[in-house]
Amino acid sequence: MRTTTYLRKALFLSAIFCLLIQQSVAFGGIARPVPAQDEMDSGRYMAVAGKRPVYPDYEPQIRDLVSRMTLEEKVGQMTQLQIGMVTSGQDSDIQIDQEKLEKAVVKYGVGSILNVNGHALSVDRWHGIIAAIQKAAQKTRLKIPVIYGIDSIHGANYIRNATLFPQEIGMAATWNPELVQKGAEVAAAETRAAGIPWSFSPVLDVGRQPLWPRFWETFGEDPYLASVMGVAFVRGMEGDDVSSGTKVATSLKHYVGYSFPLNGRDRTPAWIPENYMREYFLPPFHAAVSAGARTIMVNSADVNGVPGHVNKHLLTEVLRDEYGFDGFVVSDWEDIKKLVTFWKTAKDEKEATRQSVMAGIDMSMVPGDYSFSDLLVELVKEGHVPMWRIDEAVTRILRVKFQLGLFEDPGPDASLKSNFGRSEYAGIALESARESIVLAKNDKGALPLAKNKKVLVTGPTADSLISLNNGWTWVWQGSEESLYRQEMNTVREAVEAKIGKANVTFVPGTEITRIKEMPSNVSPTMIDKEVDIPAAVAAAKKSDVVVLCLGEGSYTETPGNITDLTLPEPQLKLAEAIIATGKPVVAVVIEGRPRVISRIADRIPGILISMNPGDHGGDAIADVLFGDYNPNGKLPYTYPRTPNSLLTYDHKLFEVEDTPFGNSAFAPQFEFGHGLSYTSFEYSGLTLSRDTISRSYGLDVSVNVKNTGKMAGKETVILYVRDVVASLSPAGKRVKRFAKVELQPGESKTVKFSLEPDDLSFFGVDNKPRIEPGEFVVLVGGLEKSFVLK
């Protein structure tokens, strides 16, 4: 381990920091003075966690190194290849191919390698691969280390037996940045334990198009919630010293607009006016850059006809000039080539290379050949790409490598293996899964269930670790059941463990299967089919209650494309047949995006929504079903009632004199922020510190929250602001702050928030932030108060 003055100082400060935490209320792992009213809010968290760490000044070393590099060495640093370019074999049989490795790292001086070739590898196997790669790098003239990257999306999911957490959409449902940060800390520690210092996460695309097959990889539809959770993720992964043996560099993706395709399909065009881009899609990236994120990955699609990889305005003018980003930008998989084959902005790959590099791409995820290196060298020699641009890109890449400590210790470090699979990690993952579960409906106390009942567990997601986890789990599509940790419980197994196997009957009713032989341009790759619905019905008649597990299998990217959000017909038929028995039914909907269930929802008294809760999801669901845990998750998106009613919570106010404007009344299945509890909460005493404010000072807001039920519980207090009249038609309301509080039965707390004038701004048609005087309304827990901005 390194013992530089900087690190000794960091360790000393870390010890002081830990002492401060013990003497204060910690929110998101950030210490702050104990507030008088014991309130905790997102604004305070962002004020601390959202600040960029200060790193040592490596610029003199970087300038010296760049000055000694040849053109070919510089271009090599800008090249990223996939692991198959230095190995032979696949899956567990993968091994370093010395000839390939020498060509990539020694001859071409490749700066980065990524990914797995098939499925996840063990820590020991990763150590062998990383050690060989870094040994090869030490044979080069300047001994520049390679930066290895993988997708640690919901834990270190490409390292066998890693701790897996809910996917981002599930973590968003917790409304708990502390858990996001803790989960990211675990993911970082386990990733670095394998010798890998760079993760292609978090996804900061804002999920406002639920058809999109990567919807579940987002933090939901609200840019403020996504910003807070994104900062928490970055802070957890990078910490205050990314060279630490428990930290890794992040890569914010996919910059920007990728998540809002017009037709809902992956890697297809988006139409987003720039003021809306700045209002809804750029804020999470801006916040995470301000928090110190080291790298960014680019949108694979296009926005307004401009592919992300050639969008100089966004990559340079906004990201660099406005936001001050000083890390490096990496392309996504083969996306420079696709400028020729798909987007047609370049006649050949050489022109595509020039366009992307000059727009602001620093590193190309080529990743399967040496075309980028060869063509870029030619472009520089021919004068089509200036040397200053090459030096700029290489400087950024080397800066991150220095900050990661790779020049002092490229790894892998065998001592870091002790950070893998630590006993405390499972508890964090279980708590995250529990808090991610949303109790969407609970008519007449349908939940929790009694433990002395005979229970039928049925449905295609009931006995599936795949559904609990989704894509990016051991393999890209999360589809290989044999790779899952068999000690983890499915919903069926968790219910059996909770109330005894003798009290549980399992009949699947339907199943979700993956089509093995299908052309790559056809989707979806999963189909639902009936298996034994009559058997499920017969079992239901013999049971006291039915736990009906519905939802989705695993998917991501193009294989997850669908054209209809409606829950597949076999599942609806199963549900209707079970409902027809007259037995009490509780639905558990395990999914990555909101599948429409309006055909059955009104006839099911109890509904849990579980958004890919991870390996511990089965146990978490059983805990909630039987009352051992009080649910407190809240939806981070609007749950549609019909396939074409895809309005978000911050829609325009359509009601005009009690008449729906354009026949577009807002009537979702479940609203954004919705989530019930086994106890009840009462809001009162909404108070504003003043009725009138100016642009020079803000506003303090307080509200009382009381647990009026008989069970301890957690409640997320969400503060919305409505701009009553604006020069650009305003949203009905926008999230501006939130806080999660825990209350014992009969206990009350006063939650306080502070709003700043900037919280009242919006981006006008000139693409600049505007703060306009007028009336505003604060809305919290069904209460509202107005104030005026002068």
Side-chain angles (χ1 to χ4, degrees):
M1 298 296 291
R2 291 170 291 279
T3 56
T4 62
T5 301
Y6 171 72
L7 285 178
R8 287 197 297 270
K9 180 179 179 182
L11 290 171
F12 172 76
L13 292 175
S14 177
I16 298 298
F17 183 71
C18 292
L19 290 173
L20 286 171
I21 288 179
Q22 294 171 12
Q23 300 173 28
S24 64
V25 175
F27 190 80
I30 303 299
R32 61 181 176 87
V34 179
Q37 306 299 136
D38 193 31
E39 78 279 10
M40 299 176 287
D41 76 273
S42 56
R44 288 174 180 257
Y45 178 79
M46 291 290 278
V48 180
K51 292 183 178 178
R52 188 177 312 204
V54 177
Y55 288 100
D57 182 9
Y58 294 112
E59 299 310 300
Q61 294 117 295
I62 295 170
R63 285 194 297 270
D64 175 67
L65 191 53
V66 171
S67 72
R68 293 187 285 123
M69 295 174 73
T70 66
L71 170 60
E72 289 74 13
E73 287 170 333
K74 293 174 183 178
V75 169
Q77 288 299 303
M78 298 171 65
T79 301
Q80 184 180 60
L81 301 179
Q82 53 100 352
I83 190 173
M85 294 293 286
V86 298
T87 59
S88 58
Q90 192 169 345
D91 298 331
S92 298
D93 295 328
I94 193 170
Q95 57 186 339
I96 288 290
D97 183 312
Q98 201 60 43
E99 184 177 346
K100 287 183 178 181
L101 180 63
E102 291 281 331
K103 179 178 181 180
V105 176
V106 179
K107 178 181 177 181
Y108 273 89
V110 166
S112 181
I113 299 174
L114 82 153
N115 216 356
V116 294
N117 198 358
H119 65 56
L121 302 175
S122 68
V123 169
D124 289 338
R125 181 58 66 89
W126 275 121
H127 269 243
I129 289 172
I130 302 300
I133 291 170
Q134 299 297 9
K135 183 178 179 180
Q138 290 302 303
K139 296 180 181 179
T140 62
R141 186 174 69 91
L142 296 174
K143 298 178 171 52
I144 299 174
V146 171
I147 180 172
Y148 203 101
I150 59 170
D151 297 89
S152 289
I153 304 298
H154 65 125
N157 45 261
Y158 274 155
I159 304 169
R160 294 295 299 271
N161 298 318
T163 308
L164 298 187
F165 291 82
Q167 298 285 0
E168 279 191 19
I169 197 67
M171 293 305 296
T174 71
W175 291 74
N176 189 339
E178 180 179 11
L179 276 180
V180 173
Q181 179 167 333
K182 287 180 178 178
E185 288 169 351
V186 172
E190 293 198 319
T191 301
R192 196 78 182 232
I196 299 169
W198 185 22
S199 173
F200 305 127
S201 57
V203 171
L204 293 187
D205 302 299
V206 179
R208 297 173 72 85
Q209 167 49 287
L211 274 170
W212 190 51
R214 306 189 74 168
F215 181 84
W216 53 269
E217 296 183 57
T218 77
F219 286 120
E221 73 183 41
D222 180 69
Y224 179 74
L225 175 61
S227 296
V228 175
M229 297 309 208
V231 165
F233 197 109
V234 170
R235 181 57 61 241
M237 279 224 158
E238 295 193 351
D240 292 322
D241 175 15
V242 76
S243 72
S244 163
T246 59
K247 300 300 177 186
V248 298
T250 58
S251 190
L252 314 179
K253 62 187 194 184
H254 307 83
Y255 184 85
V256 58
Y258 180 38
S259 60
F260 201 56
L262 195 64
N263 65 8
R265 295 192 168 210
D266 185 47
R267 287 173 165 83
T268 56
W271 295 353
I272 308 173
E274 182 164 342
N275 62 319
Y276 271 50
M277 178 73 84
R278 291 176 177 273
E279 191 74 45
Y280 294 101
F281 298 98
L282 278 167
F285 290 96
H286 190 184
V289 166
S290 297
R294 294 293 72 220
T295 77
I296 281 177
M297 186 182 293
V298 181
N299 173 9
S300 291
D302 82 0
V303 176
N304 304 330
V306 183
H309 287 72
V310 297
N311 197 324
K312 185 174 182 178
H313 173 61
L314 290 173
L315 290 173
T316 299
E317 294 168 5
V318 174
L319 182 61
R320 301 292 184 180
D321 301 342
E322 292 186 36
Y323 295 172
F325 178 60
D326 66 352
F328 70 82
V329 172
V330 62
S331 81
D332 206 340
W333 190 275
E334 286 190 343
D335 277 338
I336 292 178
K337 294 176 181 290
K338 290 173 185 174
L339 295 173
V340 181
T341 61
F342 190 81
W343 299 110
K344 311 294 186 183
T345 64
K347 63 180 181 180
D348 53 35
E349 190 176 346
K350 188 171 184 177
E351 173 59 16
T353 301
R354 187 197 66 80
Q355 289 179 0
S356 59
V357 169
M358 293 309 297
I361 301 296
D362 300 311
M363 179 182 286
S364 172
M365 188 184 293
V366 188
D369 59 39
Y370 295 95
S371 58
F372 175 82
S373 298
D374 293 337
L375 293 172
L376 187 52
V377 167
E378 289 179 16
L379 286 164
V380 175
K381 289 181 176 179
E382 293 166 358
H384 298 306
V385 172
M387 185 61 80
W388 68 259
R389 175 65 191 103
I390 302 298
D391 289 349
E392 180 180 64
V394 174
T395 294
R396 294 164 177 169
I397 294 165
L398 294 177
R399 180 180 296 127
V400 173
K401 290 185 177 185
F402 271 106
Q403 290 170 342
L404 280 166
L406 297 181
F407 280 91
E408 294 184 56
D409 182 3
D413 184 341
S415 70
L416 298 181
K417 291 182 182 180
S418 63
N419 292 326
F420 191 87
R422 296 176 67 93
S423 58
E424 62 267 27
Y425 296 167
I428 300 170
L430 176 59
E431 182 60 22
S432 299
R434 286 168 169 168
E435 289 203 21
S436 75
I437 295 169
V438 175
L439 176 58
K441 186 178 180 182
N442 196 20
D443 287 357
K444 299 180 180 180
L447 288 165
L449 302 175
K451 295 179 181 178
N452 60 353
K453 301 292 185 181
K454 296 291 185 180
V455 177
L456 168 65
V457 178
T458 186
T461 63
D463 202 28
S464 173
L465 289 173
I466 289 176
S467 292
L468 292 173
N469 283 278
N470 211 333
W472 300 113
T473 307
W474 314 131
V475 294
W476 174 44
Q477 290 295 310
S479 54
E480 299 302 322
E481 190 171 7
S482 63
L483 298 175
Y484 282 77
R485 297 172 63 181
Q486 296 308 302
E487 70 271 24
M488 298 299 174
N489 287 329
T490 63
V491 175
R492 169 201 181 178
E493 292 165 341
V495 171
E496 290 175 343
K498 183 74 67 177
I499 65 174
K501 283 189 176 182
N503 293 316
V504 179
T505 302
F506 170 66
V507 181
T510 70
E511 67 179 14
I512 302 169
T513 61
R514 182 169 294 274
I515 302 172
K516 296 292 186 182
E517 302 299 329
M518 176 173 278
S520 61
N521 63 338
V522 177
S523 60
T525 57
M526 294 175 299
I527 59 170
D528 287 64
K529 64 179 183 180
E530 298 178 31
V531 179
D532 47 12
I533 292 178
V537 169
K541 292 177 179 178
K542 298 177 183 179
S543 302
D544 297 317
V545 64
V546 179
V547 174
L548 175 62
C549 297
L550 307 172
E552 297 185 307
S554 65
Y555 58 89
T556 187
E557 302 187 40
T558 302
N561 283 342
I562 58 175
T563 57
D564 187 349
L565 277 172
T566 303
L567 194 70
E569 183 64 21
Q571 294 190 50
L572 292 173
K573 288 179 68 174
L574 171 65
E576 290 178 326
I578 295 295
I579 292 167
T581 67
K583 294 290 184 173
V585 179
V586 172
V588 179
V589 186
I590 304 171
E591 59 189 3
R593 54 192 159 195
R595 304 305 291 262
V596 172
I597 56 172
S598 53
R599 189 166 124 190
I600 58 175
D602 291 343
R603 293 178 284 164
I604 298 177
I607 300 175
L608 294 181
I609 298 174
S610 185
M611 293 154 269
N612 301 136
D615 264 355
H616 295 269
D619 291 327
I621 289 168
D623 287 344
V624 171
L625 283 173
F626 293 95
D628 291 330
Y629 186 81
N630 190 355
N632 53 72
K634 291 188 181 294
L635 289 175
Y637 55 80
T638 303
Y639 203 114
R641 186 177 295 273
T642 61
N644 206 31
S645 60
L646 303 183
L647 290 174
T648 52
Y649 86 93
D650 48 4
H651 61 277
K652 311 298 182 183
L653 290 180
F654 291 133
E655 300 298 326
V656 180
E657 296 180 354
D658 299 323
T659 300
F661 175 72
N663 195 28
S664 299
F666 185 61
Q669 191 73 55
F670 306 111
E671 292 197 27
F672 171 91
H674 172 71
L676 305 174
S677 170
Y678 292 153
T679 190
S680 55
F681 298 98
E682 179 182 271
Y683 288 74
S684 64
L686 177 61
T687 303
L688 310 184
S689 59
R690 50 181 64 89
D691 296 327
T692 302
I693 67 171
S694 73
R695 299 186 187 191
S696 60
Y697 55 83
L699 180 72
D700 293 329
V701 180
S702 63
V703 65
N704 300 321
V705 185
K706 182 177 181 180
N707 184 341
T708 56
K710 298 179 180 180
M711 188 176 187
K714 296 178 181 179
E715 170 72 349
T716 297
V717 182
I718 307 173
L719 184 153
Y720 301 91
V721 171
R722 173 184 299 150
D723 190 346
V724 177
V725 176
S727 59
L728 192 66
S729 180
K733 60 181 180 180
R734 296 285 301 277
V735 175
K736 295 299 180 181
R737 296 288 185 273
F738 60 88
K740 195 162 194 175
V741 295
E742 185 169 10
L743 297 168
Q744 298 300 313
E747 183 183 5
S748 296
K749 286 185 179 179
T750 299
V751 180
K752 293 183 177 180
F753 303 97
S754 293
L755 295 173
E756 303 299 330
D758 283 348
D759 293 313
L760 309 179
S761 69
F762 64 92
F763 282 91
V765 294
D766 59 357
N767 305 321
K768 296 178 181 178
R770 300 172 61 88
I771 302 176
E772 297 180 345
E775 182 183 1
F776 293 81
V777 181
V778 173
L779 306 96
V780 185
L783 307 174
E784 56 182 73
K785 284 264 187 176
S786 298
F787 67 94
V788 173
L789 172 67
K790 292 292 189 181

